[in-house]
Amino acid sequence: LGSRASLLRLYHRFRALDRNKKGYLSRVDLQQIGALAVNPLGERIIDSFFPDGNLRVDFPGFVRVLAHFRPVDDDDSGMRDPKQPEPLNSRMNKLRFVFQLYDLDRDGKISRHEMLQVLRLMVGVQVTEEQLESITDRTVQEADEDGDGAVSFLEFTKSLEKMDIEQKMSIRILK
Amino acid sequence: MEGAELAGKILSTWLTLVLGLILLPSAFGVSLGISEIYMKILVKTLEWATIRIEKGVPKESGLKSSASVGIIQRDESPMEKGLSGLRGRDFELSDAFYFSKKGLEAIVEDEVTQRFSSEELVSWNLLTRTNMNFQYISVRLTAVWVLGVLVRYCVLLPLRVTLAFIGISLLVIGTTLVGQLPDSSLKNWLSELVHLTCCRICVRALSGTIHYHNKQYRPQKGGICVANHTSPIDVLILTTDGCYAMVGQVHGGLMGIIQRAMVKACPHVWFERSEMKDRHLVTKRLKEHIADKKKLPILIFPEGTCINNTSVMMFKKGSFEIGGTIHPVAIKYNPQFGDAFWNSSKYNMVSYLLRMMTSWAIVCDVWYMPPMTREEGEDAVQFANRVKSAIAVQGGLTELPWDGGLKRAKVKDTFKEEQQKNYSKMLVGNGSL
C-alpha cells in the first residue's frame, strides 16, 4: 500500500487533521482544510471518505481512499497474481473513484441529472441553466452507447480509454 | 530548626547570586557573558548530538524531511494546463480528475494546516517533545539526553521561574509607583527604565538570546510597528529593545493586573472586549494615539493569531488604514534551541510558559526594516500585502495569502467562487458552445 515511510507520513497527517484527538476523522475535520474547501468538488471528495452514510473514517479507511492515488509502478504490473483482488491504484479503480464522484446515488450509472449536478458544482453561478443543460446533453450523448440516457461505468471507461489516467490521478509522496 | 536554618541560608545565597549576577546588570543593560558561555556549550553539545545521530541511523530507514519542500510532488501548473486544454474548450468527463487530484493533494498536505503546528526539526535537539522519528542510537546519546533533562528541569527551571516571578512583580510594582508621579519627562524616563529592566529580566527568565539587526530603523514615536506573530513572547522580545504602546484587549487575571499597572506609567491602548468589535472606535483611538508625536509607537500584529514561524499569513487591513508611518519588523526564531510557537488550541498559557522555560533557550533574530507608508493609489489591502512581502523576504519566511483565522473558522465562499469562475471561463470562453 506504500512504503513504510509514506504510511508513517500519512499517519502523522491523519493525526494532525484529527484536531480533537478522537482517533477518527469526521466531515468537519476535512472541511477545515482551506484548499479543499475552495475546491469546487470538495464536498464530493469528502463524500468518498464516508461511504454508506458513515460519519467517521478511521486511519485504514483514510488510507484506502488515498491509495487510489498511489502512482502505478511499472514493476507491479507484470508480477501480479491474477487471483488477488486488483490493487486500489489500478487504472480501473482510479476511474471508478472518479465515476463515483459523479454517480451520487451509487446505482452504477451517471444519469443526466447527476451530470448536471456535478457540472453545477464545478461552475457555480457563472454559467446559465441553458448553457449547462446543453453541455450536459452533449456529454451524455457522446459517451452513451446503448442509448439509455445515462453513462454506465463501461461507457465511462470507454470514453476515457485514450486518457493517461495514471499520470493525472497519481500523487507521488516524496521520500 | 537546623533544617529550616540551612534552607534559609541556601535561599539567601541563591537570591544574592541572582541579584548580583542577573538583576543588577539588567537594570544597567549590561551583560556578564554567562549566557553566552551557556549558549556556546549548548551549541557544541547539539552539534555533537547531530553527528552521532547521523552516524547512527542507516541511510534507508532514516526519515529525513525538510518541512519547506513538502511531502508530495506537486504539479503547480495553473488550471488551464492541468485540464489539458485551450480556452473555450468543451467540458470533458475527465475534468473531474483535475479537481479530485487537487482535492486529494490538499488532504494529504496543505499549506495552511501545517502552519498551525510546530515546525518539524531536521535533526533532533535532545528535547523529548521534538522527538518524532528518531530512534535509539547509542548509550552516550541517551546519557547526554538524561543529563539534559536534569539540567533543564532541576537547574534551569527553578532559576527561570524565580526570575520570571521577580520580573513580573517588579513590573507591576514599578509601574504602579511611577504612575503616581505627575506627568513629566522624569516620569517618562523612569517608566522606560522600569519597562526595560523588567523585560530584560523576563528575557533572561527564558534564556533568550536575541540579535537585533539594523537598529537604525528602530520604530520612532508616532509610528506603528508591525511584526509577524509567533507567540506572546514576541512582545517581550520587542520591548526589550525599545518601548512600545501596546494594543489589545483587557484580559482578566494576571494579564489584567499587568495591563492595568502598565497603563498607569505610560499610555497603552487597551480595549474592553465590547469595544474591540467596533472597528471605527478602534481606528479612532489609534489615530488619536499616533497623532500625538510624543507618544510611543504602537505595536500591532496584523496576522491576528499565532503562526508557527515558517510563514507569514494574511495581514488584516485594519492596521493599515490608520495612516501614519509603518515600521515593519521581522522576527525569526531558531527552532533548534526551543520551539517558541504557541499552539493555543493545544496548550494554555501556563503550560506554554512551562514549555518555554524547560527548553534550552529562545534564540531569535529581529530585523528592523526601513519605514513604509501607503502610496498614492494603493489601497489598504495592497499596502498590507506589500508590507507582508517585505517582512517575509527579510525573515526568510514563506508568504501565504491565506487568513490566519483559518485556524478556527472555515474559509470564505468567495475563494471557492474564484475557482469556479476560472473553470467556467475555460468552458464557455468566447460565449459560444
Side-chain angles (χ1 to χ4, degrees):
Chain A
L1 202 59
S3 69
R4 191 166 167 275
S6 323
L7 214 55
L8 194 58
R9 281 251 152 252
L10 288 178
Y11 184 64
H12 283 306
R13 177 63 173 172
F14 182 82
R15 291 273 302 270
L17 289 173
D18 178 11
R19 293 197 189 193
N20 306 332
K21 302 284 164 261
K22 309 183 289 294
Y24 57 85
L25 293 179
S26 63
R27 299 186 77 97
V28 176
D29 292 318
L30 291 177
Q31 279 163 347
Q32 280 178 327
I33 303 175
L36 185 62
V38 303
N39 187 316
L41 290 181
E43 279 303 313
R44 286 298 168 86
I45 296 172
I46 294 179
D47 283 342
S48 59
F49 283 88
F50 301 95
D52 313 319
N54 286 351
L55 292 172
R56 310 173 173 196
V57 59
D58 56 8
F59 183 60
F62 182 70
V63 173
R64 221 170 301 144
V65 175
L66 290 176
H68 284 95
F69 282 78
R70 193 161 80 87
V72 179
D73 294 321
D74 304 27
D75 44 5
D76 279 347
S77 42
M79 314 269 283
R80 215 168 45 76
D81 178 359
K83 288 208 204 71
Q84 283 198 335
E86 233 175 298
L88 281 170
N89 64 334
S90 70
R91 185 192 166 84
M92 200 54 85
N93 279 321
K94 284 186 204 275
L95 283 168
R96 201 185 298 275
F97 182 81
V98 181
F99 186 78
Q100 281 174 341
L101 289 181
Y102 283 103
D103 182 15
L104 264 186
D105 55 8
R106 304 285 167 104
D107 63 353
K109 282 206 243 259
I110 307 175
S111 68
R112 186 176 170 279
H113 181 67
E114 287 169 338
M115 179 81 72
L116 204 59
Q117 283 187 313
V118 176
L119 264 171
R120 180 52 76 192
L121 278 178
M122 289 201 265
V123 303
V125 299
Q126 307 295 329
V127 174
T128 67
E129 193 66 26
E130 296 98 35
Q131 283 174 321
L132 217 56
E133 299 221 352
S134 62
I135 297 177
T136 312
D137 286 329
R138 186 189 53 77
T139 319
V140 173
Q141 259 168 15
E142 274 178 9
D144 187 13
E145 296 199 343
D146 57 9
D148 60 353
V151 182
S152 70
F153 184 56
L154 274 164
E155 289 164 347
F156 184 74
T157 41
K158 233 172 148 216
S159 75
L160 292 168
E161 56 188 355
K162 297 209 196 67
M163 178 116 341
D164 180 8
I165 307 290
E166 285 80 7
Q167 194 263 322
K168 277 186 185 280
M169 294 272 288
S170 294
I171 298 177
R172 190 170 295 279
I173 296 187
L174 295 172
K175 275 287 176 297
Chain B
M1 276 311 287
E2 282 208 13
E5 267 189 39
L6 188 61
K9 275 214 187 99
I10 296 181
L11 193 61
S12 51
T13 358
W14 173 250
L15 282 176
T16 340
L17 269 177
V18 166
L19 189 73
L21 292 176
I22 301 179
L23 293 181
L24 283 177
S26 303
F28 296 108
V30 159
S31 165
L32 285 179
I34 301 179
S35 22
E36 271 96 58
I37 301 176
Y38 168 65
M39 290 305 293
K40 281 210 189 91
I41 302 178
L42 194 57
V43 167
K44 284 242 155 32
T45 320
L46 287 179
E47 275 175 10
W48 174 84
T50 316
I51 297 176
R52 300 260 0 157
I53 294 176
E54 275 170 11
K55 267 199 229 155
V57 172
K59 285 299 167 196
E60 52 276 12
S61 69
L63 252 194
K64 303 265 188 234
S65 75
S66 162
S68 50
V69 169
I71 60 171
I72 52 181
Q73 195 171 38
R74 289 270 182 144
D75 180 14
E76 296 291 354
S77 51
M79 202 189 277
E80 284 90 357
K81 191 152 164 279
L83 286 166
S84 71
L86 319 143
R87 301 208 114 217
R89 65 195 257 314
D90 299 322
F91 168 68
E92 301 273 344
L93 286 169
S94 54
D95 285 352
F97 288 176
Y98 173 78
F99 287 116
S100 48
K101 177 169 171 184
K102 282 275 166 259
L104 266 295
E105 276 177 353
I107 291 182
V108 174
E109 175 194 50
D110 76 307
E111 292 182 309
V112 175
T113 319
Q114 63 176 128
R115 310 290 172 185
F116 297 131
S117 58
S118 302
E119 192 185 349
E120 251 184 63
L121 287 176
V122 178
S123 75
W124 192 35
N125 66 347
L126 295 177
L127 293 176
T128 330
R129 63 192 67 145
T130 47
N131 188 353
M132 292 222 356
N133 313 312
F134 302 94
Q135 60 276 62
Y136 173 83
I137 309 287
S138 75
V139 180
R140 257 195 259 173
L141 199 62
T142 320
V144 173
W145 173 71
V146 170
L147 184 64
V149 171
L150 283 174
V151 167
R152 280 185 296 121
Y153 281 85
C154 303
V155 175
L156 292 178
L157 182 60
L159 173 66
R160 288 173 180 171
V161 170
T162 324
L163 283 177
F165 188 68
I166 296 178
I168 297 181
S169 331
L170 268 182
L171 182 67
V172 174
I173 299 172
T175 44
T176 319
L177 285 177
V178 173
Q180 308 301 326
L181 297 174
D183 276 333
S184 64
S185 52
L186 177 68
K187 180 180 181 185
N188 291 340
W189 183 79
L190 273 178
S191 137
E192 269 194 43
L193 182 67
V194 168
H195 271 110
L196 286 175
T197 312
C198 298
C199 286
R200 287 195 197 117
I201 298 176
C202 289
V203 165
R204 283 178 206 215
L206 295 170
S207 293
T209 309
I210 311 171
H211 294 289
Y212 296 98
H213 305 263
N214 304 334
K215 282 202 188 187
Q216 68 270 23
Y217 294 125
R218 199 186 295 174
Q220 305 299 321
K221 294 204 166 116
I224 303 178
C225 176
V226 290
N228 55 321
H229 200 26
T230 308
S231 92
I233 296 188
D234 290 343
V235 174
L236 195 62
I237 290 180
L238 287 177
T239 47
T240 317
D241 195 44
C243 284
Y244 297 91
M246 322 239 191
V247 178
Q249 270 179 342
V250 174
H251 287 94
L254 182 62
M255 277 300 295
I257 299 177
I258 300 178
Q259 283 177 327
R260 276 188 285 275
M262 283 169 73
V263 83
K264 291 197 184 105
C266 104
H268 297 284
V269 189
W270 300 123
F271 291 98
E272 299 294 330
R273 200 172 199 109
S274 48
E275 288 175 331
M276 285 292 286
K277 302 227 164 81
D278 183 355
R279 279 191 52 206
H280 290 294
L281 178 67
V282 172
T283 321
K284 186 159 136 329
R285 276 182 69 178
L286 292 176
K287 273 202 178 122
E288 282 167 6
H289 187 105
I290 54 173
D292 182 352
K293 292 292 173 202
K294 287 202 300 260
K295 292 212 176 140
L296 300 168
I298 306 180
L299 178 58
I300 296 186
F301 296 104
E303 280 165 313
T305 188
C306 294
I307 314 289
N308 77 346
N309 205 235
T310 54
S311 62
V312 184
M313 293 219 188
M314 188 177 100
F315 275 9
K316 298 202 195 313
K317 65 177 168 98
S319 341
F320 298 90
E321 287 172 332
I322 305 172
T325 332
I326 303 276
H327 299 269
V329 178
I331 306 178
K332 178 87 178 94
Y333 292 88
N334 186 340
Q336 197 67 15
F337 297 101
D339 174 30
F341 168 56
W342 182 29
N343 192 341
S344 52
S345 45
K346 232 173 150 186
Y347 306 105
N348 60 10
M349 178 62 102
V350 178
S351 31
Y352 169 70
L353 285 176
L354 275 176
R355 275 170 63 96
M356 284 296 101
M357 294 197 208
T358 51
S359 312
W360 292 118
I362 304 290
V363 177
C364 69
D365 288 289
V366 176
W367 286 276
Y368 292 113
M369 292 157 65
M372 294 169 129
T373 37
R374 195 158 91 178
E375 282 169 13
E376 284 295 321
E378 202 182 26
D379 71 355
V381 175
Q382 290 166 327
F383 182 38
N385 283 336
R386 194 159 62 92
V387 176
K388 185 181 82 165
S389 307
I391 291 186
V393 166
Q394 179 65 273
L397 306 162
T398 0
E399 209 189 312
L400 292 179
W402 299 94
D403 185 349
L406 279 179
K407 203 195 229 174
R408 294 193 186 86
K410 273 167 124 175
V411 74
K412 291 207 195 89
D413 281 332
T414 37
F415 291 105
K416 190 193 266 197
E417 280 164 21
E418 252 187 70
Q419 292 242 339
Q420 287 171 329
K421 241 194 243 179
N422 285 343
Y423 180 64
S424 316
K425 266 197 225 141
M426 285 186 55
L427 273 195
V428 190
N430 319 324
S432 60
L433 282 172

